[in-house]
Amino acid sequence: MSAVIAALAKAIGQLSDRAVLAVLAKSLVVTLLVFALFGVALYAGLVWAFAEAGLSDGGFASAATAVVLAAIAGWLLFRVVAIAVLQFFADEVVVAVEERHYPEAAKRAQKLPFARDLANSLRGSGRTVAINALALPVALVLVATGVGAPLVFLAVNAWLLGRELTDMAWLRHCSDMPGQNPVSRSQRFLLGSAIAGIMLVPFASLIAPVIGAAAGTHLTLGAMARGDKETEGRA
């Protein structure tokens, strides 16, 4: 746990870096644009649906419905969209952390081509949707408990987030056929839990993905360094 806390503290301490702020600004703009386009499309679809149903007040009703549905979708899908968008700028966050804290590792890293970034983003988004869909029946069974359903989704998304946020750095340092992520499962889960928790806080949720990517880099490079030392010790 101490390693995760230290990684989060270092990540928050680097939020003022120009490179990190630039990624934060770009990812926020793209994420909000995605939701804005979704809202416009939703509104247009509802206007058509209300008109087809013969409702004379379709404009107001569709607008009100669109606002409610967009708010619900934003709460449910923000994590998926924000992490998917961040994948395209993740290299910049990872590089900023590496150059400040791990200069030797920065020299060995490989820059991921756009096609691989896109594939990683789509793969991660698909995994998130699929696993949340599998968790949905369990959550529905536990709805009556009041807290069971949220805890199921928190646990599932903590696991997913921990993997995605550490993979952002790991993929820069492994081959085209990556092996096991060097960060332990417990550390990945703790990191994912912390970022999932931050994402529940208004406004703080906007910077949570960048904090997570930076903290994931610290955990990944720290684990790699320990692995190199163990290898040297056995040699």
Side-chain angles (χ1 to χ4, degrees):
M1 180 177 289
S2 59
V4 176
I5 294 173
L8 288 169
K10 290 178 182 177
I12 293 171
Q14 201 169 347
L15 282 177
S16 59
D17 279 16
R18 183 174 298 180
V20 176
L21 286 174
V23 174
L24 178 60
K26 288 186 289 188
S27 60
L28 277 178
V29 168
V30 176
T31 300
L32 294 176
L33 180 61
V34 168
F35 280 110
L37 292 174
F38 170 76
V40 170
L42 181 62
Y43 172 73
L46 288 170
V47 166
W48 175 84
F50 278 108
E52 288 293 308
L55 298 176
S56 59
D57 194 26
F60 174 78
S62 57
T65 306
V67 168
V68 173
L69 292 180
I72 295 172
W75 184 76
L76 293 174
L77 300 176
F78 177 80
R79 193 207 71 78
V80 178
V81 175
I83 295 299
V85 170
L86 182 62
Q87 287 277 8
F88 290 102
F89 309 116
D91 263 12
E92 297 175 48
V93 177
V94 176
V95 167
V97 173
E98 289 177 348
E99 290 183 346
R100 179 169 174 176
H101 298 277
Y102 312 94
E104 291 303 316
K107 296 176 183 177
R108 300 193 301 267
Q110 59 175 339
K111 181 174 176 58
L112 300 182
F114 175 78
R116 193 173 176 192
D117 266 343
L118 178 60
N120 291 335
S121 179
L122 293 176
R123 190 180 302 113
S125 298
R127 181 166 53 236
T128 297
V129 172
I131 293 180
N132 274 278
L134 290 174
L136 182 58
V138 178
L140 290 175
V141 170
L142 297 174
V143 164
T145 66
V147 297
L151 287 177
V152 167
F153 284 116
L154 179 62
V156 166
N157 286 287
W159 177 79
L160 289 165
L161 272 171
R163 175 170 178 171
E164 297 296 332
L165 294 171
T166 51
D167 274 354
M168 289 179 183
W170 172 234
L171 292 173
R172 283 172 44 83
H173 293 274
C174 64
S175 63
D176 290 337
M177 298 296 290
Q180 178 65 40
N181 185 312
V183 182
S184 69
R185 292 179 181 177
S186 61
Q187 288 185 338
R188 293 202 303 259
F189 183 77
L190 287 172
L191 173 64
S193 298
I195 300 304
I198 295 173
M199 283 185 165
L200 296 176
V201 181
F203 302 111
S205 61
L206 300 176
I207 63 173
V210 172
I211 293 174
T217 302
H218 284 292
L219 289 175
T220 302
L221 286 233
M224 289 175 59
R226 289 193 297 274
D228 289 342
K229 289 180 180 178
E230 290 174 2
T231 301
E232 291 175 1
R234 290 193 295 268

